[in-house]
């Protein structure tokens, strides 16, 4: 018998050592114990101290009704599990007279003859329980052996938990360093920076849903969000009345609160499909300047317990420093930089950033490409389909442009409805290729509820089209308008002319209009002239012949 116990212990401990995580460890333990204890159902439970309830971590053999009973069991109610916590030793149903109602009901559900509960205890600390329901009372004879194995499980589990915690801490600091690295990058679009920063914050905090709010006077405006289910509306620029966020911003300290949906009526459509437990608010600041808040929605209680407030404070300061030093030059707010329709940079700093790129290019002898894009027939979409679908078309094009760009490229959306792209270190030929790629990507798919969309793109290049930011932007804009005049859905480069005076521009635009008119008119006869169908009846062909449209002599 002793040899059997020694073999089982050695085999069991070796299997446990193969586990790479606590979750994997519990699955191995539960399945192995089920092999040793024949005709027995097994469940390993944790203790949720926040709600004073037990929580089933893994089980074998228990039906759903029994698992539901175990998950709803309050620690302080009379039952064998609570008795084990008090006695710090195994307890069987045979030794308890009368048997608590909970355990009697559980045994009836499982149709078991014996129930034993073991503590998961290491170094005098109980951090879980193992409950077994057996169809026979033979399990009593195995109780001592099982107690030894469960003790081995508890010690391995504690050691692995400590190692996991250490690894988690190490991973958090690695991601914090990555956050600092992307902060030090020079040419990252604000929109991309916010997106990447949120992604790393998720990894650090083990959350999957969150947003970044920018402070604007006494308001908080939604600047970025990730992880939520897709919705039809665009939420950029939405004013968010979050008391938790204001609290974090006013105190400049991270705040963790219980999540209540009714406090988030501003963007309930984003978060209503998710079951969150807590909301975490991290202030974004730089030298006591209050810039905004990161708001994280967390559904995992364990993730909340592992949050390090000092780490959260560092996150807020790193991102705050980046936002202030890289994107703000004066006393303006962050919210003033973003377009409310797309979340992209607006034209506030367009010329300033382009001038900065031109200076760098002069020093390094490099080229810069500038693209100006406009959605064809956007006014028609707005007037016939409505503003909401027009905004969707704008957002669709914005996403396509982002896919086509590099991290160092800058994307803006201006007040007059034009996208502007700055392409650092890009020669004219490559700028044309990028423009063609964007044009093709936009038209190759259809925008939901809108249909196929096309864009007209103008291209300008530093050293080829102009020397100043104003000249480059003017050239790109004029080239885009020329593309529209020539028929839309095309890329246009105006050549090496540095400046177009009003007379030259009028002559070029008139020529483009005339050329486009002639192209369209030349197609009209072919489109209007009926076709004599081979094999059709003579009556049909006679009818078509009478409907001919003759070409005018002087088109």
């Amino acid at each position: 018998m002793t040899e059997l116990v020694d073999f089982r212990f050695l085999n069991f401990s070796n299997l446990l050592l193969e586990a790479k995580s606590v979750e994997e460890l519990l699955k191995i333990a539960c399945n192995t114990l089920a092999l040793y204890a024949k005709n027995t159902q097994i469940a390993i439970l944790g203790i949720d101290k926040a709600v004073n309830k037990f929580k089933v971590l893994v089980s074998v053999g228990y039906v759903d009704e029994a698992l539901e009973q175990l998950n709803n069991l309050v620690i302080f109610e009379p039952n064998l599990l609570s008795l084990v916590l008090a006695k710090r030793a195994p307890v069987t149903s045979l030794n308890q007279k009368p048997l608590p109602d909970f355990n009697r009901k559980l045994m009836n559900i499982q149709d078991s003859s014996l129930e034993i509960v073991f503590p998961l205890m290491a170094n005098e600390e109980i951090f879980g329980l193992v409950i077994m329901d057996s169809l026979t009372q033979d399990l009593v004879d195995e109780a001592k052996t099982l107690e030894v194995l469960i003790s081995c499980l508890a010690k391995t589990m504690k050691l692995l938990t400590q190692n996991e915690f250490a690894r988690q801490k190490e991973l958090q600091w690695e991601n914090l360093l990555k956050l600092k690295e992307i902060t030090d990058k020079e040419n990252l679009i604000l929109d991309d920076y916010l997106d990447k920063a949120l992604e790393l914050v998720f990894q650090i905090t083990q959350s999957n849903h969150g947003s970044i709010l920018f402070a604007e006077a006494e308001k908080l405006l939604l600047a970025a969000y990730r992880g939520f289910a897709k919705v039809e509306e665009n939420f950029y620029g939405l004013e968010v009345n979050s008391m938790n966020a204001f609290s974090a911003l006013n105190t400049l300290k991270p705040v963790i609160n219980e999540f209540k949906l009714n406090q988030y009526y501003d963007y309930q459509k984003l978060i209503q499909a998710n079951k969150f437990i807590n909301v975490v608010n991290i202030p974004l600041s730089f030298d006591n300047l209050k810039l905004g808040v990161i708001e994280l929605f967390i559904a995992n209680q364990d993730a909340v317990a592992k949050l390090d407030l000092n780490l959260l404070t560092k996150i807020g300061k790193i991102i705050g420093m980046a936002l202030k030093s890289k994107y703000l030059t004066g006393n303006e707010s962050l919210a003033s930089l973003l377009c409310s329709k797309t979340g992209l940079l607006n034209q506030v700093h367009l010329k300033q950033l382009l001038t900065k790129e031109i200076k760098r290019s002069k020093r390094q002898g490099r080229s810069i490409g500038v693209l100006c894009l406009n959605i064809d027939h956007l006014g028609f979409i707005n007037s016939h389909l409505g503003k909401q679908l027009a905004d969707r078309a704008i957002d669709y094009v914005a996403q396509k442009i982002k896919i086509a760009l590099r991290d160092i490229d800058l994307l803006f959306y201006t007040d007059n409805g034009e996208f502007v792209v700055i392409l650092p270190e890009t020669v004219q030929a490559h700028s044309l290729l990028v423009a063609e790629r964007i044009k093709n990507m936009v038209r190759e798919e259809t925008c939901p509820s809108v249909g196929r969309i096309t864009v007209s793109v103008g291209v300008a290049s530093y050293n080829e089209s102009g020397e100043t930011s104003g000249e480059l932007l003017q050239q790109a804009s004029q080239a885009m308008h020329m593309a529209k005049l020539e028929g839309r859905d095309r890329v246009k480069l105006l050549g090496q002319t540095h400046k177009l005076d009003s007379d030259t521009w009028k002559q070029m635009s008139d020529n483009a209009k005339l050329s486009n008119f002639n192209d369209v008119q030349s197609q009209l006869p072919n489109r209007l002239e009926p076709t004599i169908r081979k094999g059709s009846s003579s009556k049909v062909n006679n009818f078509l012949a009478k409907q001919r449209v003759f070409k005018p002599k002087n088109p």
Side-chain angles (χ1 to χ4, degrees):
M1 183 65 181
T2 305
E3 292 179 359
L4 179 61
V5 173
D6 290 342
F7 169 76
R8 285 184 174 181
F9 179 81
L10 183 61
N11 184 54
F12 187 67
S13 58
N14 285 338
L15 287 171
L16 296 184
L17 289 174
E18 293 178 4
K20 300 294 189 296
S21 65
V22 172
E23 183 181 1
E24 185 182 356
L25 175 79
L26 295 178
K27 288 180 179 178
I28 291 172
C30 199
N31 290 328
T32 307
L33 289 172
L35 290 174
Y36 293 161
K38 303 294 184 182
N39 302 315
T40 300
Q41 296 91 40
I42 301 173
I44 301 176
L45 292 79
I47 302 170
D48 192 340
K49 295 179 180 178
V51 293
N52 291 318
K53 287 185 177 181
F54 296 103
K55 180 182 178 182
V56 177
L57 303 176
V58 63
S59 66
V60 172
Y62 279 98
V63 298
D64 290 343
E65 185 182 356
L67 294 175
E68 185 178 353
Q69 293 289 326
L70 287 168
N71 279 322
N72 290 326
L73 178 61
V74 178
I75 292 175
F76 304 115
E77 290 181 2
N79 59 78
L80 296 186
L81 291 83
S82 300
L83 187 59
V84 169
L85 293 180
K87 294 183 65 174
R88 308 174 72 80
V91 172
T92 73
S93 58
L94 297 177
N95 298 333
Q96 299 303 313
K97 304 295 182 184
L99 190 65
D101 291 341
F102 172 82
N103 299 93
R104 182 184 297 106
K105 183 176 181 180
L106 187 65
M107 291 175 68
N108 287 336
I109 293 172
Q110 291 298 128
D111 196 24
S112 62
S113 302
L114 174 69
E115 191 168 270
I116 306 180
V117 183
F118 299 88
L120 269 174
M121 184 168 62
N123 298 332
E124 299 301 316
E125 179 189 358
I126 297 179
F127 44 86
L129 300 169
V130 178
I131 184 170
M132 298 185 178
D133 275 87
S134 178
L135 299 179
T136 68
Q137 296 188 0
D138 296 341
L139 189 64
V140 174
D141 300 331
E142 299 282 347
K144 286 296 181 183
T145 303
L146 293 171
E147 186 177 359
V148 172
L149 298 179
I150 290 169
S151 175
C152 174
L153 167 63
K155 291 174 183 177
T156 309
M157 184 176 175
K158 187 169 182 64
L159 181 63
L160 192 56
T161 301
Q162 290 172 342
N163 291 340
E164 274 195 351
F165 182 74
R167 281 201 300 270
Q168 184 63 35
K169 280 286 183 184
E170 185 179 346
L171 185 62
Q172 286 178 342
W173 286 103
E174 284 179 5
N175 284 321
L176 197 64
L177 289 175
K178 288 180 183 177
L179 182 61
K180 196 169 186 318
E181 285 176 10
I182 68 164
T183 295
D184 293 337
K185 279 189 178 181
E186 288 198 12
N187 286 320
L188 209 55
I189 306 173
L190 177 58
D191 181 50
D192 282 349
Y193 176 77
L194 296 178
D195 197 52
K196 291 186 177 182
L198 260 185
E199 181 181 351
L200 286 170
V201 171
F202 284 176
Q203 293 176 19
I204 294 169
T205 59
Q206 293 185 301
S207 56
N208 297 307
H209 305 79
S211 59
I212 294 180
L213 311 175
F214 282 170
E216 170 82 6
E218 298 298 319
K219 299 183 292 185
L220 288 171
L221 305 179
L222 193 61
Y225 51 91
R226 277 178 65 99
F228 301 105
K230 289 186 177 180
V231 291
E232 298 296 329
E233 292 94 333
N234 192 325
F235 284 84
Y236 291 117
L238 177 73
E239 183 177 350
V240 178
N241 295 309
S242 167
M243 297 305 298
N244 298 327
F246 279 115
S247 175
L249 194 61
N250 290 332
T251 61
L252 290 181
K253 294 180 180 179
V255 175
I256 302 175
N257 291 102
E258 181 184 355
F259 173 76
K260 295 179 180 178
L261 181 60
N262 58 3
Q263 294 180 356
Y264 290 87
Y265 57 87
D266 301 293
Y267 53 129
Q268 276 194 19
K269 289 181 180 178
L270 267 181
I271 58 182
Q272 63 187 357
N274 302 278
K275 294 182 180 179
F276 301 117
I277 298 173
N278 290 93
V279 57
V280 179
N281 293 94
I282 306 170
L284 303 177
S285 63
F286 180 77
D287 287 344
N288 292 323
L289 178 64
K290 300 172 181 177
L291 300 172
V293 177
I294 296 177
E295 194 158 50
L296 303 175
F297 300 93
I298 299 180
N300 185 346
Q301 187 67 45
D302 293 337
V304 177
K306 295 176 183 176
L307 288 177
D308 184 336
L309 293 181
N310 290 329
L311 193 66
L312 298 182
T313 302
K314 284 184 172 62
I315 290 171
K317 287 184 177 179
I318 288 175
I319 296 177
M321 178 185 67
L323 294 175
K324 172 58 181 172
S325 61
K326 293 169 68 62
Y327 303 105
L328 294 178
T329 56
N331 296 322
E332 74 272 35
S333 68
L334 283 165
S336 68
L337 301 180
L338 295 180
C339 165
S340 60
K341 288 183 179 179
T342 62
L344 300 176
L345 285 168
N346 59 28
Q347 65 189 43
V348 172
H349 284 185
L350 173 54
K351 281 191 178 181
Q352 186 180 49
L353 290 175
L354 182 54
T355 301
K356 181 180 176 182
E357 288 300 327
I358 290 174
K359 288 180 180 178
R360 181 184 288 116
S361 294
K362 281 183 178 178
R363 290 196 306 269
Q364 299 175 352
R366 305 284 179 84
S367 295
I368 301 173
V370 177
L371 311 182
C372 185
L373 302 91
N374 188 259
I375 300 174
D376 297 330
H377 305 296
L378 183 61
F380 179 89
I381 296 172
N382 188 56
S383 59
H384 287 77
L385 300 181
K387 182 178 181 300
Q388 184 176 339
L389 290 184
D391 287 347
R392 185 180 299 178
I394 294 170
D395 188 57
Y396 168 82
V397 173
Q399 299 308 318
K400 293 296 182 183
I401 297 174
K402 284 183 189 179
I403 295 171
L405 300 183
R406 305 164 297 176
D407 284 348
I408 64 171
D409 300 330
L410 298 167
L411 175 60
F412 303 81
Y413 189 74
T414 66
D415 292 343
N416 57 354
E418 295 175 1
F419 292 96
V420 176
V421 180
I422 300 176
L423 303 170
E425 301 181 17
T426 306
V427 297
Q428 183 171 281
H430 289 168
S431 297
L432 286 166
L433 289 176
V434 174
E436 286 288 348
R437 182 163 67 242
I438 292 171
K439 182 196 67 140
N440 293 333
M441 288 177 67
V442 169
R443 75 188 312 277
E444 69 185 6
E445 295 180 15
T446 57
C447 177
S449 302
V450 177
R452 194 169 302 282
I453 293 175
T454 61
V455 292
S456 297
V457 190
V459 180
S461 184
Y462 171 67
N463 283 338
E464 297 287 345
S465 304
E467 295 288 337
T468 68
S469 60
E471 289 173 353
L472 276 176
L473 292 171
Q474 182 188 31
Q475 283 283 304
S477 179
Q478 288 177 331
M480 180 271 294
H481 282 97
M482 193 64 67
K484 283 190 173 293
L485 292 172
E486 291 183 0
R488 299 181 176 86
D489 187 25
R490 65 193 64 202
V491 173
K492 184 70 178 176
L493 174 71
L494 288 184
Q496 298 185 4
T497 307
H498 281 204
K499 292 182 180 179
L500 288 178
D501 55 36
S502 57
D503 291 338
T504 306
W505 170 247
K506 185 177 186 306
Q507 183 180 354
M508 289 181 68
S509 61
D510 287 344
N511 289 339
K513 289 178 185 177
L514 182 61
S515 175
N516 185 41
F517 175 78
N518 289 335
D519 287 344
V520 173
Q521 192 181 46
S522 67
Q523 297 174 25
L524 283 176
N526 293 332
R527 214 183 312 158
L528 296 175
E529 184 141 356
T531 303
I532 303 299
R533 302 176 185 175
K534 293 182 179 180
S536 298
S537 67
S538 57
K539 287 184 178 181
V540 171
N541 287 333
N542 289 336
F543 173 78
L544 292 174
K546 292 179 182 178
Q547 307 303 315
R548 286 188 190 279
V549 177
F550 295 98
K551 298 179 183 179
K553 292 182 179 179
N554 298 310

